Each structure stands twice: as C-alpha cells, then as structure tokens.
Amino acid sequence: MRTPSATVVVCAHTTERIGVLGQALRSLDAQTRPPDQVVLVIDHNEALMTYARLAWPALDIVAADDPAGLSAARNTGLAVARHDIVAFLDDDAEADPAWLQRIGAAFADPTVQAVGGRAVPQWPGERPRWFHPTFDWVVGCTHEGSPTTPARVRNVIGCSMAFRASALAALGGFDTGVGRGAADALGAEETELCIRLRRLLGPDSVLFDPTIQVRHHVDGDRARMRYYLRRCHGEGRSKARVASTQGPDDALSSERAHLRATLPAALGRCLGTPAGLRNGGPAQAAAIVAGVLAAAAGYATEHQRLARQDRLPRHEEAIA
C-alpha cells in the first residue's frame, strides 16, 4: 500500500510569536517522516508576511483569504495543499519528531478520516496553582478526562490535527462563521467541522491517538485568570453557534459528559482529599466552578442573541 503524502499547514497572524513560530517550523524539519509540503499562511499581517518570506524562502507562504480569522486561514492553506493528508500545526506548537509518521500510520485504517493527538501545555514557568488540568482545553491542550489510549471521538483539537484532503474537499473546509479571530476568544471551528465529517462519512471517522504529541506553548497572558474566564465565556458562545447550525446534541455531547463525570471527580479530589487540600485544591475548585459558570453565561448570551437575530425580519421582508 502506498504511503499517503502529506501537507502541513501552519497559520500565523502576529509578529509577537515569531520566536515560537520558528520553533514550530524547526520541529517540522526534524520529523522522522518529513512533510511533502509545508504551507505557512499569514493572516492579514504585512509585516509578518515580509519577515516570513525572508526567513523561510523554501516554504509555500501565502496570504489568508478574507475574512480575517483562523477558519479562513486554514481554508487558504487547504486550497494550496497538494497532498493526500492535510495536517494542521499551530504556530505556537512544537511537534514531536514522530508526529507526522504516527499521523500517517493512523490513516492506514481506511475508516479514519481525521486524526488528532495529545497537546501538552508548556507553561511560561510553573503551572498556575489554581489552574486544574480538567480545563487545559482553555489553553488549547488536551484536558484531564481525555482518552489515554487510541479512541474514536467527536472531534480533534485544533493545535494538532490532520484530515484526508478528500474529506475536507467534500465538506467544503472550515465554516468561517465559527471560530477564532485575531481579537477574540472564540473557537470550536474544528468541532463544527468534525460533526459534519462524522455525519457525512460515519461516526467512527475521527480518531484520537495520544501517542501523536505536540508541546503547546502558553504565553504569560493565557496563564492569568482574566484570560481563563474570557476564554471559557468565548467557548460557551462558540458552542451556541455550533448548536444553532448542527444541533445541541452533537454540539454539546462531549461537554455534557465532561460536566457529568470528569468535573465532579476533579472537585472531589480538590476538596475531599488531603493531597488536594495541600496542593491548591480549594483554589482549583473555585476556578473550575468559575469556568463552568463563565461558559454557561457565554452559551446563554450567544443563544439569546442568535434567537433574536432569527426573529428579525430579513431586509426584503421588512421592505415588503
């Protein structure tokens, strides 16, 4: 059987990450299975585009299409990808040397259409004492409660994921109405896409394999409570958007399971064990509750906004 060829797409939008962007690209140079193509998408930043073309002339460097934001940038990379597999690596993530080799091995199963792996947070110092691992998704990493062995899942996470190019083409790429822009804390674009993928190509189409690993850098701002709450609120808003188009059952299935099982168990360890009480358990428990409330508030706010929007007459109807 022919080994599938692979394009890796890296999207970047700010000059503030040039250092870690260089580390991400160097991690691709160090792969045991080198990528056949690396596409660097610059999302509406002329200074970064100029720098990138001088620093990495061997890469395919392209400007993101409108609108600004991660979904459109990923679609731009997809449009110039030339190979069987399209893998996405965040500009602040470093892939382990066997990352792409293991992605390719996962696609040996013809039922697999999307693959994601484990993202380990690289904190700017020590992990904040109040930040519980069940909320590592806030910084784009694999959270406590995720599978510890290969498993079929609802969705992959965005900092490290790969798809068959044919599947992305069939889906029309990422929905630009969902996901992160340069100045907000939204997300869930990969969740929305994976829901559509599973409906089109089967419920077992998406694989999580924790041996496919990256290290995801966390900058100082994202290690603060202010960002934590803003990101939780933004995730709630994002899931309301996904629920409005894909239905709440799929949009919230993983979140409901996390809320029912993982978080109560974490609270019990934080407050009900001597080790938890010694190691910041009360602060972690408070942050867990605050995060849940912020996400719920974000969901309710966006759900109400979308409901009001749906009730407004279209322009043509208002004229009539």
Side-chain angles (χ1 to χ4, degrees), residues 173-242:
F174 293 86
D175 183 349
T176 57
V178 178
R180 185 180 298 269
D184 60 43
L186 301 181
E189 60 276 359
E190 63 273 3
T191 300
E192 191 276 341
L193 183 134
C194 286
I195 289 171
R196 288 189 285 126
L197 186 151
R198 293 173 72 243
R199 288 177 180 171
L200 180 67
L201 298 172
D204 291 333
S205 299
V206 182
L207 175 70
F208 173 81
D209 184 346
T211 69
I212 300 169
Q213 184 166 296
V214 303
R215 296 171 300 284
H216 200 185
H217 290 265
V218 182
D219 64 36
D221 286 342
R222 295 188 178 191
R224 296 190 174 100
M225 178 61 75
R226 180 177 180 179
Y227 177 83
Y228 173 87
L229 294 176
R230 186 165 70 91
R231 181 70 186 90
C232 290
H233 189 272
E235 186 67 8
R237 290 176 57 209
S238 301
K239 291 297 165 59
R241 293 187 184 186
V242 176

Side-chain angles (χ1 to χ4, degrees), residues 78-127:
L78 174 61
V80 299
R82 300 190 298 267
H83 297 284
D84 304 320
I85 303 303
V86 182
F88 295 89
L89 181 70
D90 270 10
D91 63 342
D92 55 355
E94 294 178 69
D96 278 6
W99 178 73
L100 195 56
Q101 181 179 347
R102 287 177 172 145
I103 286 173
F107 281 110
D109 183 339
T111 68
V112 173
Q113 303 295 322
V115 175
R118 184 168 178 251
V120 179
Q122 299 295 295
W123 298 97
E126 295 294 324
R127 172 190 283 271

Side-chain angles (χ1 to χ4, degrees), residues 192 195 237-252 299 303 306:
E192 191 276 341
I195 289 171
R237 290 176 57 209
S238 301
K239 291 297 165 59
R241 293 187 184 186
V242 176
S244 72
T245 60
Q246 304 303 322
D249 288 346
D250 283 333
L252 301 176
Y299 185 93
H303 178 74
L306 292 169

Side-chain angles (χ1 to χ4, degrees), residues 40-100:
L40 177 59
V41 182
I42 306 299
D43 189 2
H44 295 76
N45 188 319
E46 287 299 325
L48 182 57
M49 175 67 79
T50 299
Y51 179 92
R53 285 175 170 163
L54 291 172
W56 302 294
L59 303 185
D60 290 341
I61 301 175
V62 294
D65 293 333
D66 291 329
L70 187 52
S71 291
R74 286 172 171 162
N75 287 341
T76 301
L78 174 61
V80 299
R82 300 190 298 267
H83 297 284
D84 304 320
I85 303 303
V86 182
F88 295 89
L89 181 70
D90 270 10
D91 63 342
D92 55 355
E94 294 178 69
D96 278 6
W99 178 73
L100 195 56

